[in-house]
């Protein structure tokens, strides 16, 4: 079986140790890599994963240009990258255009780190430009160990965005909303042709029965394998999918074919 891990993270060599140790201390999660690109590549290779998508996030408006330049510089040899914009930056639409010019594949958003709701109207011009350029909008979905009490990226918010922007290709991470499984079944699973889920870092949070039910409702062609490495071992999500009562064709779709179709590769 081939694997395309659609949800991975890494940092510059200078920042990696500080970033990973700080996030590990806050979350209580032991990271699976040292946070570097080389560490990520080693972890993917150890698990037989030949391709991965790296998803950087700008936590300040001032970071977006430098992060996008760096992402473009490390994108090679099976490592694909999205860019990032911060909703509070003044030049978000122009930066989306630059993300396209850099050859990056989409734009990663994280509501908890960037303090916005996916369905806020101030985000609409950004989504319009992403859709126009044929890029992908990738969102953190649901609860996050670093978040405050309120969850901003809910299945209801993704339903609103998917319905308002039918040409926008949306990936909602963590099966569309970590720990919001019933809302996923009610509001998003199987309802939108332009909405994909990834299965990153959910193996310790969801029952096999509910996961299988959501995948069947969503359709394996719009489900992507992902790990959230270094915040989970990719083997956990591989084992999770393999033990489900899915056909070989459905597993191939989840593990790599759905990603290939979404990216047009």
């Amino acid at each position: 079986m081939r694997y395309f891990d659609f949800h991975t993270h890494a940092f510059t060599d200078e920042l990696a140790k500080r970033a990973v140790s700080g996030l590990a201390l806050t979350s209580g999660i032991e990271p699976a890599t040292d946070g570097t690109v080389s560490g990520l590549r080693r972890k993917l290779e150890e698990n037989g994963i030949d391709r991965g998508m790296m998803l950087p996030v700008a936590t300040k408006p001032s970071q977006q240009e430098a992060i996008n330049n760096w992402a473009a510089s490390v994108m090679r040899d099976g490592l694909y990258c999205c860019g990032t914009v911060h909703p509070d930056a003044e030049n978000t639409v122009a930066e989306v255009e630059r993300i396209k010019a850099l050859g990056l594949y989409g734009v990663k958003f994280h509501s908890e780190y960037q303090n916005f709701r996916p369905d806020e109207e101030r985000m609409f011009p950004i989504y319009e430009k992403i859709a126009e350029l044929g890029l992908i909008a990738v969102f953190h979905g649901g609860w996050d160990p670093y978040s405050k009490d309120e969850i901003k990226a809910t299945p209801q918010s993704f339903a609103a965005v998917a319905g308002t922007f039918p040409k926008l290709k949306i990936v909602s991470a963590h099966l569309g909303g970590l720990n919001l499984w019933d809302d996923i079944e009610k509001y998003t699973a199987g309802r939108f042709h332009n909405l994909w889920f990834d299965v990153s870092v959910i193996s310790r949070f969801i029952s096999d029965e509910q996961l299988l039910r959501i995948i069947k409702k969503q359709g394996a062609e719009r489900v992507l394998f992902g790990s959230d490495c270094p915040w989970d071992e990719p083997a956990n999500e591989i084992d999770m999918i393999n033990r489900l009562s899915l056909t070989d064709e459905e597993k191939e779709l989840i593990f790599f074919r759905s990603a290939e179709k979404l990216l047009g590769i």
Side-chain angles (χ1 to χ4, degrees), residues 85 87 92-93 96 109 122-131:
V85 298
T92 52
V93 172
V96 171
F109 300 98
R122 67 182 175 122
M123 302 297 295
F124 288 5
I126 305 174
Y127 301 157
E128 288 171 355
K129 181 57 66 173
I130 292 171

Side-chain angles (χ1 to χ4, degrees), residues 202-216:
I202 68 171
S203 62
R204 71 192 78 165
F205 297 105
I206 190 171
S207 70
D208 287 357
E209 292 76 18
Q210 188 160 31
L211 173 59
L212 180 61
R213 193 164 63 241
I214 291 173
I215 289 175
K216 289 291 188 178

Side-chain angles (χ1 to χ4, degrees), residues 41-223:
R41 288 185 179 277
R42 285 193 298 272
K43 179 58 65 173
L44 296 179
E45 184 178 359
E46 287 172 10
N47 286 273
I49 300 168
D50 60 342
R51 290 169 293 178
M53 176 68 75
M54 194 176 70
L55 302 172
V57 179
T59 58
K60 299 177 182 178
S62 60
Q63 295 174 338
Q64 60 183 24
E65 182 175 343
I67 289 176
N68 292 332
N69 289 342
W70 171 74
S73 75
V74 300
M75 187 173 62
R76 60 182 179 276
D77 300 330
L79 187 61
Y80 297 72
C81 297
C82 283
T84 181
V85 298
H86 194 287
D88 293 336
E90 295 181 356
N91 62 331
T92 52
V93 172
E95 189 63 16
V96 171
E97 293 178 334
R98 208 174 69 85
I99 284 169
K100 176 69 173 182
L102 286 169
L104 299 167
Y105 285 83
V107 182
K108 173 63 190 297
F109 300 98
H110 198 303
S111 289
E112 311 306 330
Y113 297 165
Q114 299 177 317
N115 194 29
F116 77 99
R117 298 174 186 275
D119 55 352
E120 287 183 34
E121 288 191 12
R122 67 182 175 122
M123 302 297 295
F124 288 5
I126 305 174
Y127 301 157
E128 288 171 355
K129 181 57 66 173
I130 292 171
E132 175 190 324
L133 296 176
L135 296 169
I136 301 163
V138 184
F139 295 86
H140 167 83
W143 175 80
D144 185 279
Y146 319 107
S147 65
K148 299 179 180 178
D149 293 338
E150 182 185 18
I151 296 175
K152 297 182 175 67
T154 64
Q156 294 91 321
S157 70
F158 295 127
V161 175
T164 304
F165 298 95
K167 294 183 179 180
L168 178 66
K169 293 179 287 187
I170 302 165
V171 175
S172 179
H174 317 306
L175 203 65
L178 190 63
N179 281 345
L180 301 176
W181 315 128
D182 293 344
D183 285 348
I184 292 164
E185 291 197 66
K186 183 176 181 180
Y187 295 107
T188 52
R191 293 179 176 271
F192 300 97
H193 73 279
N194 58 329
L195 178 62
W196 285 256
F197 298 156
D198 79 33
V199 300
S200 60
V201 83
I202 68 171
S203 62
R204 71 192 78 165
F205 297 105
I206 190 171
S207 70
D208 287 357
E209 292 76 18
Q210 188 160 31
L211 173 59
L212 180 61
R213 193 164 63 241
I214 291 173
I215 289 175
K216 289 291 188 178
K217 187 173 183 180
Q218 171 73 354
E221 69 277 6
R222 292 196 306 280
V223 178

